[in-house]
Amino acid sequence: MKYLIVIPARYASTRFPGKPLAILGGKPVIQRVYEQARQLTSDIYVATDDSRIYDTVTSFGGNAVMTSPDHKSGTDRIEEAVRKIQEKTHAEYDVIVNIQGDEPFIQPAQIKALIDCFNDERTEIATLGIRFGRPGGAESDNTALLHDIQNSNSPKIAVSQQGFALYFSRSVIPFCRGVEEARWPETFPYIKHIGMYAYRRHVLGEVTALPQSPLEKAESLEQLRWLENGYRIKVGITTSETIGIDTPEDLEKAERFLEEKVRT
């Protein structure tokens, strides 16, 4: 199975303009993301709509491709990038992996977990999930866990026994009927969605042509468009939390994390 990693990276950001070029531990964030992915394969491209990001990537020896600034989602940007890459290289890929350009601590094992989902021939799209916490913790721990689970900025996944996504929601799913809310974290193994995806090549082209769906509009979650249209999304489970950078404050936290990592 031949796979291609594409890292969409935009300069414009409401909360943190230019974050792919922000310096973290002496290197641009986008370089750190690229180097993490490079541990698995050399088939990597950064897809960007900004020449500053393009020039930065090529300056450290990475591959980059320019894309339109008018895309409404990262998925659309990736589809354009893949078409351009295939036209340039004449390479054919079975699976396209989407890694966000603001995840400098992404682990190669997480990327591999995504790719391994395609060992199941039924998998059309893959994504990652992580347990919010382990059942059976102390009640005081449950309070913090419940707060995390109820955070609408952390989508949850309901997963089938075969490992496929049944639903994604910003609300708490499932609702534990007949159980005191404070005890939900110890009652059910809630799964947090990590926004990494991989697609079979032909599926990527298909999903970018789909119009927005009612569930997607209701929850503002693009992956619901795919579920509503019958695509099977395999959920790989990881034990490593990602540390994304959305704000300058996140960059400061990441800098402290990196310093501690170096010390240990």
Side-chain angles (χ1 to χ4, degrees):
M1 180 171 60
K2 188 172 177 61
Y3 63 92
L4 170 70
I5 295 176
V6 182
I7 308 171
R10 295 172 61 247
Y11 189 91
S13 170
T14 304
R15 290 187 288 179
F16 194 176
K19 66 180 177 180
L21 302 183
I23 301 301
L24 174 61
K27 296 179 181 180
V29 168
I30 192 64
Q31 182 174 353
R32 291 196 170 275
V33 178
Y34 195 99
E35 289 176 350
Q36 289 296 98
R38 183 65 180 78
Q39 295 180 54
L40 283 181
T41 180
S42 59
D43 288 332
I44 312 167
Y45 277 80
V46 172
T48 184
D49 60 358
D50 191 278
S51 60
R52 288 164 290 189
I53 295 174
Y54 181 96
D55 291 342
T56 296
V57 173
T58 56
S59 72
F60 64 71
N63 301 314
V65 59
M66 290 294 294
T67 56
S68 168
D70 300 324
H71 291 303
K72 294 181 179 179
S73 72
T75 311
D76 294 337
R77 187 177 309 283
I78 288 170
E79 168 61 18
E80 181 194 355
V82 173
R83 280 191 279 105
K84 288 186 172 181
I85 293 164
Q86 289 183 314
E87 288 170 4
K88 175 184 176 181
T89 65
H90 304 291
E92 294 295 329
Y93 296 97
D94 302 302
V95 171
I96 309 300
V97 182
N98 172 5
I99 297 174
Q100 297 305 311
D102 57 6
E103 296 278 356
F105 301 111
I106 188 169
Q107 297 299 307
Q110 292 175 307
I111 303 171
K112 188 174 185 304
L114 267 181
I115 295 166
D116 286 348
C117 287
F118 292 91
N119 293 333
D120 186 332
E121 294 182 354
R122 298 170 297 174
T123 302
E124 294 172 300
I125 301 170
T127 192
L128 286 184
I130 186 171
R131 290 273 297 277
F132 272 98
R134 296 194 176 278
E139 192 164 338
S140 59
D141 295 332
N142 286 349
T143 301
L145 273 177
L146 183 62
H147 181 268
D148 289 342
I149 292 167
Q150 291 175 327
N151 182 354
S152 62
N153 291 319
S154 294
K156 275 64 66 176
I157 321 175
V159 183
S160 74
Q161 292 187 8
Q162 291 74 40
F164 289 92
L166 296 170
Y167 194 69
F168 297 82
S169 182
R170 295 186 183 278
S171 298
V172 180
I173 53 172
F175 178 95
C176 292
R177 185 177 180 182
V179 178
E180 183 184 352
E181 193 175 82
R183 299 187 64 84
W184 284 6
E186 66 183 75
T187 303
F188 188 85
Y190 288 94
I191 299 176
K192 174 183 176 180
H193 180 225
I194 295 177
M196 292 173 53
Y197 299 101
Y199 317 80
R200 293 203 187 273
R201 174 64 188 99
H202 71 278
V203 171
L204 174 62
E206 292 170 5
V207 297
T208 54
L210 295 173
Q212 278 194 305
S213 69
L215 287 175
E216 176 190 7
K217 291 178 181 177
E219 296 247 24
S220 191
L221 295 173
E222 183 185 17
Q223 60 270 32
L224 290 176
R225 182 192 315 183
W226 311 331
L227 279 185
E228 266 192 282
N229 282 277
Y231 288 95
R232 306 200 71 176
I233 304 176
K234 187 85 167 185
V235 181
I237 302 298
T238 178
T239 57
S240 301
E241 182 66 87
T242 58
I243 303 176
I245 296 175
D246 291 320
T247 66
E249 291 75 24
D250 290 338
L251 182 66
E252 292 175 8
K253 292 177 185 176
E255 193 74 55
R256 291 195 295 271
F257 175 81
L258 188 62
E259 289 171 359
E260 293 215 2
K261 190 175 177 183
V262 171
R263 283 200 296 268
T264 58

